[in-house]
Amino acid sequence: MNKKSMIMLSSMLVTTGIMTSCGGETGQEENSEGQNQMQEESQEENGENASGDDTANIDNMTAEEPGKNETCYYCEMGIPHPEDEQSVFTAQAITNDGERVFFDDSGCVENAEQEQDEEFAKVWVKDYSSDEWTEREGTTVVADNSLETPMSYQYAFFEEEADADAYVEEHEAEAASWEDVQADAHERAQGGSMDHEEMNHEDMDSHDDEQDNS
C-alpha cells in the first residue's frame, strides 16, 4: 500500500470514529430526555409536581386517630383517645400546607380558623351516633347543655339529619349550626361565657329589636 492510500484510509477511520461518538452522545441525550419526561408524567399522576410538592394530595387524605401524645392545635390541651368517652367531641383538620392537626373540642377549630383568617383545607368531626369521623361540611349540629365536652362547648355532630332530629326529641337539646359554634367560640376567646340558652335569648331579643325598628 502506498503512502497516499494509507493517508486516505487513516482519514476515513478518524471520520467514522467521530460520527460514532456523536451518535452515541445524541442517543444518550435522547434517552435522558425520555427518562425525565416519564418521571414528570409519573409525578403528575401521583398528584406531585417537579418540586415534590404533595399538596395536590390533600383531597385524597382521610381522617386518622390522634397519636398518644397529640395535643390540641389551638389550646394545647391533650386530645381524648377512643377509649375516652369524650373523644366523640374531638376534631381534626388539614391545613392548606398539608399538615394534619387535632382539636380537643369543636370550638377550638373555629377559633384557630378565625385567628389565622384562613379556612382549613379539610375538617373532620365525629358523628355522635357512630363515633366515626365525618367531614364537617354537611353535618347537622345539636346543642345540649347536659353534654360534658372537653372544653365545655357542648355541641354534638351528626352525619345523618334524622339522627340529629331523634337526639333532639329524646333529650333536652336543640338544633344548632356551625355559625353558632363559631359565635360561641369567638365569645369565649374574647373572655366571655355564654350558654346556649343565653345565646338563644340574645338572638330573640335582636330579632325583636329588628321588628320594632322596621
Side-chain angles (χ1 to χ4, degrees):
M1 182 180 295
N2 58 35
K3 186 176 181 179
K4 183 177 181 181
S5 298
M6 290 179 65
I7 294 173
M8 291 179 62
L9 179 59
S10 298
S11 299
M12 291 176 61
L13 291 173
V14 171
T15 303
T16 302
I18 294 173
M19 292 178 64
T20 302
S21 176
C22 292
E25 291 178 358
T26 302
Q28 289 177 355
E29 291 176 356
E30 291 177 352
N31 289 337
S32 178
E33 291 176 358
Q35 290 175 354
N36 290 337
Q37 183 176 357
M38 290 176 63
Q39 185 177 2
E40 291 175 0
E41 290 176 353
S42 177
Q43 288 176 337
E44 291 175 358
E45 290 177 358
N46 291 326
E48 301 178 349
N49 57 29
S51 65
D53 183 6
D54 62 356
T55 55
N57 283 330
I58 288 177
D59 289 340
N60 296 324
M61 297 179 74
T62 58
E64 298 178 0
E65 292 297 335
K68 182 178 180 180
N69 299 317
E70 198 71 56
T71 58
C72 179
Y73 181 68
Y74 177 72
C75 71
E76 299 184 351
M77 299 291 288
I79 303 293
H81 288 78
E83 60 271 16
D84 188 328
E85 62 182 14
Q86 288 194 337
S87 68
V88 73
F89 304 111
T90 60
Q92 65 179 278
I94 304 296
T95 68
N96 290 316
D97 293 329
E99 178 187 4
R100 186 185 303 274
V101 294
F102 291 91
F103 302 89
D104 60 341
D105 210 333
S106 56
C108 289
V109 179
E110 298 300 326
N111 276 332
E113 286 189 316
Q114 286 186 35
E115 291 188 8
Q116 293 181 359
D117 194 26
E118 181 179 19
E119 289 188 5
F120 293 116
K122 297 187 81 170
V123 177
W124 294 273
V125 293
K126 283 201 168 183
D127 174 28
Y128 188 81
S129 296
S130 66
D131 198 27
E132 297 292 333
W133 292 106
T134 182
E135 290 196 35
R136 174 175 62 178
E137 288 73 13
T139 56
T140 301
V141 186
V142 169
D144 183 353
N145 287 333
S146 69
L147 289 174
E148 295 183 5
T149 71
M151 297 300 291
S152 300
Y153 280 101
Q154 300 177 309
Y155 291 99
F157 306 94
F158 297 84
E159 186 173 8
E160 300 294 337
E161 186 175 358
D163 292 338
D165 293 340
Y167 182 93
V168 169
E169 291 182 7
E170 185 177 347
H171 302 79
E172 292 184 2
E174 55 196 28
S177 66
W178 272 103
E179 285 73 18
D180 294 326
V181 180
Q182 187 178 42
D184 192 3
H186 181 69
E187 176 72 20
R188 298 186 192 197
Q190 300 302 312
S193 178
M194 185 184 300
D195 64 24
H196 303 128
E197 292 181 0
E198 290 175 339
M199 290 177 66
N200 288 338
H201 286 311
E202 185 176 90
D203 291 340
M204 292 176 64
D205 292 341
S206 176
H207 180 66
D208 292 339
D209 291 341
E210 290 178 359
Q211 287 185 329
D212 293 340
N213 293 330
S214 61

